[in-house]
């Protein structure tokens, strides 16, 4: 379950899903201030890594930095390692600020969907709200495991579909015509045409 108040966060924390500060908690590294807006949950390890949005990033507006290309045009979403390091080894709870908390949660909600998946998408699931009971935690972990299984299956299907499309295009090249390729493969000619349009351009 969540703690009722924010706790100190260090980079060496275990980040157990059972030991979370409330979403919306305010933090400071002694210089900048941040809002804890979500958790990145590994359901198999039962860990929940806090994610933050900095007040300074909200004030600066949407970013276009190379390191956040997965959500280009959005406010940067920061992990503990982004905000705890040399000179700021601990995040301390800061005074509540409803306006800045609301702004950070709104920025999270407006972030663009990933244009592509990275490896963390197949091992972690975002937790956007507080869990109040052990039963809620268990139910979320079960959901997260199922969600990850679905993502892996979808990725495998996408890869298999792409390979199939490329091979259809290869057959069309070898047979010399879309019509003949359609007859050989027992497919509609529109399927052949789509495979030829979608295949990667040759160097």
């Amino acid at each position: 379950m969540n703690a009722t108040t924010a706790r100190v966060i260090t980079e060496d924390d275990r980040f157990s899903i059972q030991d979370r500060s409330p979403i919306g908690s305010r933090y400071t590294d002694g210089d900048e201030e941040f809002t804890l807006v979500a958790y990145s949950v590994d359901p198999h390890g039962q860990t929940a890594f806090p994610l933050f949005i900095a007040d300074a990033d909200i004030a600066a507006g949407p970013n276009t930095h190379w390191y956040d290309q997965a959500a280009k045009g959005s406010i940067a979403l920061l992990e503990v390692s982004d905000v705890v390091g040399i000179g700021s080894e601990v995040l301390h709870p800061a005074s509540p600020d409803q306006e800045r908390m609301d702004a950070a949660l709104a920025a999270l909600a407006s972030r663009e969907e990933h244009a592509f998946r990275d490896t963390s998408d197949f091992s972690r699931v975002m937790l956007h709200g507080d869990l109040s009971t052990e039963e809620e935690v268990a139910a979320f972990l079960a959901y997260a495991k199922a969600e990850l299984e679905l993502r892996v299956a979808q990725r495998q299907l996408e890869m298999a579909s792409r390979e199939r499309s490329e091979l259809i295009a290869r057959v069309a090249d070898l047979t010399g015509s879309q019509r003949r390729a359609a007859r050989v493969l027992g497919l509609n000619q529109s399927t052949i045409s789509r495979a030829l349009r979608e295949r990667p351009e040759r160097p």
Side-chain angles (χ1 to χ4, degrees), residues 6-142:
R7 62 177 186 81
V8 171
I9 293 176
T10 72
E11 196 170 13
D12 296 327
D13 282 347
R14 293 178 59 248
F15 299 112
S16 168
I17 196 170
Q18 302 291 349
D19 188 21
R20 305 180 318 281
S21 297
I23 288 175
S25 297
R26 299 278 298 161
Y27 280 92
T28 181
D29 62 0
D31 182 20
E32 295 187 72
E33 292 195 354
F34 311 86
T35 299
L36 194 164
V37 294
Y39 284 92
S40 179
V41 176
D42 173 358
H44 298 286
Q46 297 193 11
T47 50
F49 300 91
L51 301 171
F52 305 89
I53 287 180
D55 291 352
D57 286 338
I58 293 176
N63 77 83
T64 56
H65 295 310
W66 66 268
Y67 55 76
D68 203 28
Q69 288 295 302
K72 184 176 178 179
S74 301
I75 302 298
L77 192 59
L78 307 173
E79 298 183 359
V80 170
S81 59
D82 296 317
V83 296
V84 175
I86 297 174
S88 57
E89 298 179 354
V90 178
L91 282 178
H92 291 281
S95 299
D97 188 318
Q98 187 68 43
E99 183 177 351
R100 290 182 176 180
M101 182 193 77
D102 290 343
L105 294 176
L108 175 67
S110 65
R111 279 175 60 86
E112 298 175 6
E113 292 291 328
H114 285 194
F116 55 86
R117 290 197 183 280
D118 61 28
T119 53
S120 67
D121 288 320
F122 300 102
S123 61
R124 298 185 188 178
V125 174
M126 291 271 285
L127 171 64
H128 293 268
D130 292 324
L131 302 170
S132 301
T133 66
E134 295 290 343
E135 290 78 10
E136 288 181 3
V137 171
F140 179 82
L141 290 173

Side-chain angles (χ1 to χ4, degrees), residues 128-160:
H128 293 268
D130 292 324
L131 302 170
S132 301
T133 66
E134 295 290 343
E135 290 78 10
E136 288 181 3
V137 171
F140 179 82
L141 290 173
Y143 154 76
K145 289 177 181 178
E147 172 67 20
L148 292 178
E149 289 176 1
L150 177 61
R151 291 180 189 177
V152 170
Q154 288 175 331
R155 178 59 174 166
Q156 291 173 337
L157 180 60
E158 290 168 2
M159 294 174 64

